[in-house]
Amino acid sequence: MALSSKDIYERAALQTVKADIRHDWTLSEAEELFAKPFNDLIFEAQTLHRRYFDPNEVQISTLLSIKTGGCPEDCAYCPQSAHYDTGTDKVALMEVDSVLAAAREAKNSGASRFCMGAAWRSPTDRDLEVVCKMVEGVKALGLESCVTLGMLKDEQARRLSDAGLDYYNHNIDTSEEYYGEIITTRTYEDRINTLGNVRDAGINVCSGGIVGMGETRSDRAGMLTTLATLPEHPQSVPINMLVAVEGTPLSEEPTIDAIEFVSTIAVARIMMPASVVRLSAGRKEMSDEAQALCFTAGANSIFYGDVLLTTENPERKADMVLFDRLGIRPMT
Ligand code: SAM
Ligand code: DTB
Ligand code: SF4
């Protein structure tokens, strides 16, 4: 039977998608992408971006720290680690009602997802029940929900899934090789195991890392290779630029070159073309032009609101002006 032109088109589209979404990326292929001339890299990233997304839409998430500071882990970048004196006030787990009031406000400001972060190594089952109530409340407001609570056991991931959780954020942070320089209180494998538990529970995975912690380009390529060779690409990939906080071991780390940061976004876009790539922490320290280049390179999500967890983020008004200048609309 002869194929209709619609059939031929659909087959061709399917072939393209099959070829784009790869799980067999190698470190040297990732390094080759980084080594491309900047214009070629950006063109390739933007071309793929347009195949999967509206290039003028950016997803907006709002972040709230529901339990702050006093964390037993020693992540060298983190102002919330109890190992460092950063002046971050310790605040116990918030009440459900206060969290839902903040979620309502986020929705009224235009966010489509509400992300709740807790400075835990892993949640206790009792704390998890409180977080499940928060997730249910956020969902009832018509917002997508995301939480980041540290390591999860498989039954805890299933419990969050039953509560209706949409996304779980758990970053691999850097390459397996560099990881030990940054965190000693848990392993890379611990992180990957939690991601497996989240995926198996049917929750969307949000996983990425931080750029500018003194790692090499090869480490950045390695981090993206690990993410792109997981059994499924994380549906959301946050790329954070280190916010160097006084009192942390990385406080004196020089700011990463903006072009290298944009290239990291572009390589993430090419290796995981159907994932939402979030231009995450570090925007307050970035120029409007660098942010614009990140959007051109394929970033299509941001955190919106004056604070991240404990550090500053651009003011909402400034973000709206930037979106306006760039003709960007919030993703609904
Ligand atoms: N405790 C949980 C955990 O580590 O998974 C959840 C909260 S933790 C603050 C979430 C992520 O924020 C970290 O994995 C890290 O990637 C990012 N982050 C923390 N401090 C940062 C900083 N100073 N600059 C950039 N990103 C940071
Ligand atoms: C992610 O990748 N970045 C966000 C979110 N996931 C939880 C956190 C950024 C934190 C920056 C430092 C702070 O504000 O404490
Ligand atoms: Fe704790 Fe998370 Fe900060 Fe590490 S990144 S110290 S686990 S809050």
Side-chain angles (χ1 to χ4, degrees), residues 63-65 68 77-80 88 115-118 146-148 169-171 173 206-210 237-243 245 278-282 303 307-313:
L63 192 54
L64 176 70
S65 181
T68 309
Y77 48 76
C78 189
Q80 303 200 68
T88 304
C115 306
M116 295 164 273
C146 174
V147 295
T148 177
N169 168 242
H170 200 66
N171 293 338
D173 282 337
C206 172
S207 188
I210 308 179
V237 181
I239 305 293
N240 296 276
M241 187 176 86
L242 174 74
V243 181
V245 179
R278 180 174 303 129
L279 167 55
S280 203
F303 283 122
V307 272
L308 290 161
L309 290 171
T310 65
T311 63
E312 284 184 67
N313 199 39

Side-chain angles (χ1 to χ4, degrees), residues 79-186:
Q80 303 200 68
S81 166
H83 295 256
Y84 319 121
D85 189 5
T86 62
T88 304
D89 288 333
K90 227 179 120 177
V91 186
L93 182 60
M94 286 173 71
E95 300 287 335
V96 176
D97 286 350
S98 323
V99 171
L100 296 184
R104 214 166 286 122
E105 212 242 313
K107 180 163 184 176
N108 292 338
S109 309
S112 60
R113 189 176 308 157
F114 193 66
C115 306
M116 295 164 273
W120 286 323
R121 173 176 164 81
S122 52
T124 62
D125 289 342
R126 220 170 87 188
D127 286 335
L128 196 72
E129 285 311 309
V130 180
V131 174
C132 285
K133 289 207 173 64
M134 294 172 184
V135 169
E136 283 160 4
V138 168
K139 297 287 295 174
L141 290 172
L143 282 164
E144 285 183 325
S145 56
C146 174
V147 295
T148 177
L149 315 171
M151 292 182 283
L152 284 188
K153 293 186 274 208
D154 54 355
E155 63 269 20
Q156 292 182 314
R158 283 198 300 272
R159 177 69 192 95
L160 284 167
S161 175
D162 290 344
L165 182 69
D166 296 295
Y167 288 81
Y168 194 84
N169 168 242
H170 200 66
N171 293 338
I172 59 167
D173 282 337
T174 188
S175 69
E176 186 167 9
E177 292 73 22
Y178 197 61
Y179 189 86
E181 301 290 320
I182 302 296
I183 302 151
T184 69
T185 48
R186 51 158 202 258

Side-chain angles (χ1 to χ4, degrees), residues 227-298:
L227 293 169
T229 54
L230 289 170
E232 280 176 40
H233 292 170
Q235 284 74 18
S236 165
V237 181
I239 305 293
N240 296 276
M241 187 176 86
L242 174 74
V243 181
V245 179
E246 219 181 299
T248 62
L250 296 181
S251 63
E252 300 294 321
E253 204 51 51
T255 310
I256 183 124
D257 169 31
I259 302 290
E260 184 67 13
F261 185 84
V262 172
S263 299
T264 309
I265 299 258
V267 176
R269 167 53 64 224
I270 293 167
M271 293 174 78
M272 295 166 280
S275 302
V276 168
V277 175
R278 180 174 303 129
L279 167 55
S280 203
R283 289 198 303 117
K284 179 83 184 174
E285 291 74 22
M286 243 176 245
S287 69
D288 286 351
E289 292 79 2
Q291 291 190 60
L293 270 177
C294 288
F295 296 130
T296 306

